[in-house]
Amino acid sequence: MSVSSPSVFLVNVMGQIECGRFLNGDNLRFHCCFTAGHDWEVVTGLEEFMSQTACRSDDERQVFVWNFPFDITFKSTNPFGWPQVILSVYGTDFFGNTVIMGYTACHVPITPGKYTRRLTTFVPESASTVQKLLSWLTGRRPEFLDPKLIAQGRGREVTRVRSQGEVTITFNVMMKDFTKFGYDCGATGKTPYLAVQPQPQRSVTVPSEGQSEA
Amino acid sequence: MVSFSPPPSFQVKKSVWTLMAEVHIIGQLSGTSGFPCASLFCKWSLQLGGGWKVVEGVSEGQTQADQSDTGNTSTWCHPIDLHLSTRGIQGWPRLLLQVYRQDDLGRVDLCGYGVTHVPTRPGHHTLVCHTWRPVGTFGEEVRRAFLGGGPQLLSTEFIHSSLERYRLHTIAAGLVHLELGIILRNFEKYGVIY
């Protein structure tokens, strides 16, 4: 690691997408992607991935466990456009069709540390009751064309959704050189700045009147 | 108005003192709880003082309308990502929230107003904003219960201004939940502690 003045800061996010709780549906799998602003770039790690297919547990918890690990590092010069994680959960309904079970998104935590987030998922609603009945029978439920829509604020006012289910994600966040840019994200354990050690001052004695330097 | 200006005895290049203090607000409007109606959405906007400037990001918006299955809570997951710069701490940003409900016929009805200051300490914050709505006469309330359409504020100034609030008669509505992360920059260079 270099101690010269840095040109980018790094944010490393790792963790697991632990489990999901949904009342309906079975054989759930999710598609996950990380999205960030224009100033951000992925250094290492997978930006998009798909999980295994999980069945509902037999016990009273009725939970879908994926325990899916992720590890990604971003570099940037500007906190604007902070990375977000977007999840699209798919499953089979009563008739065996693969339908969308929920979308959710959240920002990666901005302070280093360990976090557990429980995110509620939602699905788009049909425009009318007739369409709702038809989509329930044919198994073609309304979906977002591009799941990255839910990571944006624009265009959300025309969407009608129904919230159902939740997903639990654990994050571990580390940063490098973030404070050297002058940013303060509320991190408690500050890494000591690696600077050149100051030379010890030699004491200088000034001879007063009547005394020689010796 | 307190603004940042260099002390006269300090000999320094002018370019250092044109550094603006910056605030990043990164988070989301999570949802609501405690509202007695479903299919809620929120119109939010950022209220800034005179010395502030929005560098990047959208300072107002409208969330999706959530017809929730899960009891009396709604989920919006509406992201907020703002980059602001300022010359002073007066007029610290505030979020104005107006919660409406949309029924099956597409009519929009007011459910609550709320205002919350953006936190001043960097880090992650979970905020809960209490909302209220204006209350009419007994006849208006009965009409609102059956037909909708109760009294609304003509101007959003009443939500954030402290001066004119004494004119209002209000009743409590539900709670709006926000998760905000705050990153500050260059504030300690001006001697501001938080």
Side-chain angles (χ1 to χ4, degrees):
Chain A
M1 297 190 211
S2 106
V3 301
S4 57
S5 111
S7 57
V8 289
F9 62 84
L10 300 176
V11 176
N12 175 258
V13 189
M14 48 189 146
Q16 302 85 249
I17 297 168
E18 305 272 15
C19 61
R21 283 180 174 78
F22 292 83
L23 280 177
N24 312 311
D26 204 350
N27 299 321
L28 261 53
R29 65 177 194 280
F30 65 80
H31 171 259
C32 175
C33 69
F34 284 90
T35 179
H38 295 296
D39 295 322
W40 291 76
E41 209 177 293
V42 175
V43 177
T44 63
L46 285 175
E47 228 175 318
E48 276 191 50
F49 40 84
M50 195 105 167
S51 78
Q52 78 266 27
T53 306
C55 292
R56 190 185 289 273
S57 68
D58 289 329
D59 51 19
E60 68 275 0
R61 290 178 308 163
Q62 296 286 293
V63 62
F64 298 87
V65 169
W66 294 294
N67 185 229
F68 194 95
F70 56 85
D71 188 348
I72 188 168
T73 305
F74 295 92
K75 71 174 180 186
S76 176
T77 53
N78 181 7
F80 181 72
W82 197 269
Q84 298 187 54
V85 60
I86 304 170
L87 277 177
S88 320
V89 183
Y90 296 91
T92 52
D93 65 356
F94 179 73
F95 298 110
N97 303 312
T98 302
V99 295
I100 183 74
M101 298 296 295
Y103 293 100
T104 186
C106 87
H107 281 277
V108 160
I110 58 156
T111 312
K114 177 177 182 290
Y115 304 88
T116 304
R117 293 275 157 86
R118 291 177 70 165
L119 310 169
T120 313
T121 56
F122 52 86
V123 288
E125 272 272 285
S126 302
S128 66
T129 321
V130 170
Q131 277 198 359
K132 200 165 156 183
L133 187 66
L134 279 175
S135 68
W136 182 74
L137 286 172
T138 58
R140 291 209 218 115
R141 307 266 175 100
E143 288 182 34
F144 289 124
L145 264 181
D146 184 9
K148 294 195 175 159
L149 170 76
I150 57 170
Q152 298 167 16
R154 287 203 191 92
R156 298 288 289 279
E157 60 265 14
V158 295
T159 54
R160 294 173 73 159
V161 300
R162 174 182 295 270
S163 55
Q164 60 183 36
E166 67 173 28
V167 175
T168 306
I169 310 183
T170 306
F171 291 99
N172 289 290
V173 177
M174 287 200 292
M175 299 182 186
K176 178 175 183 287
D177 295 336
F178 192 64
T179 45
K180 287 183 191 163
F181 275 72
Y183 293 110
D184 184 0
C185 60
T188 47
K190 288 199 165 88
T191 313
Y193 184 85
L194 296 171
V196 173
Q197 293 299 324
Q199 296 297 325
Q201 293 281 346
R202 297 219 177 110
S203 60
V204 176
T205 49
V206 176
S208 55
E209 283 183 14
Q211 277 186 340
S212 68
E213 265 181 81
Chain B
M1 151 139 173
V2 173
S3 66
F4 301 135
S5 57
S9 59
F10 210 90
Q11 299 293 326
V12 77
K13 280 189 207 164
K14 195 166 182 232
S15 57
V16 173
W17 290 100
T18 56
L19 268 181
M20 306 267 270
E22 293 171 30
V23 177
H24 286 266
I25 306 170
I26 295 162
Q28 62 177 9
L29 277 165
S30 310
T32 67
S33 67
F35 278 92
C37 27
S39 198
L40 296 169
F41 65 90
C42 175
K43 277 192 194 169
W44 66 274
S45 61
L46 193 75
Q47 185 77 23
L48 296 171
W52 292 77
K53 199 171 79 127
V54 177
V55 179
E56 288 170 297
V58 180
S59 64
E60 61 182 17
Q62 186 174 320
T63 69
Q64 63 203 17
D66 179 30
Q67 186 153 17
S68 83
D69 269 342
T70 55
N72 61 350
T73 59
S74 300
T75 305
W76 292 325
C77 273
H78 189 92
I80 296 178
D81 197 340
L82 283 159
H83 179 190
L84 311 169
S85 71
T86 180
R87 292 194 176 279
I89 57 175
Q90 260 65 24
W92 193 269
R94 294 182 282 194
L95 279 168
L96 260 65
L97 306 167
Q98 302 175 56
V99 182
Y100 294 89
R101 70 169 173 206
Q102 187 178 31
D103 60 9
D104 296 329
L105 302 170
R107 292 180 309 170
V108 162
D109 208 12
L110 172 78
C111 278
Y113 296 113
V115 63
T116 177
H117 272 94
V118 165
T120 55
R121 181 172 272 249
H124 183 81
H125 303 267
T126 306
L127 304 175
V128 169
C129 179
H130 291 263
T131 58
W132 49 270
R133 63 172 177 83
V135 131
T137 60
F138 178 72
E140 282 172 357
E141 287 297 301
V142 168
R143 192 167 157 269
R144 183 183 183 273
F146 288 106
L147 300 174
Q152 296 187 23
L153 292 176
L154 273 179
S155 148
T156 55
E157 196 191 323
F158 287 99
I159 310 175
H160 61 83
S161 155
S162 319
L163 290 170
E164 302 284 324
R165 281 281 188 105
Y166 67 91
R167 297 173 190 273
L168 294 176
H169 189 204
T170 66
I171 191 170
L175 302 170
V176 175
H177 298 268
L178 302 103
E179 308 238 343
L180 292 181
I182 307 295
I183 298 176
L184 300 181
R185 188 184 196 194
N186 293 336
F187 274 86
E188 61 276 349
K189 289 199 171 77
Y190 294 100
V192 174
I193 51 172
Y194 41 78

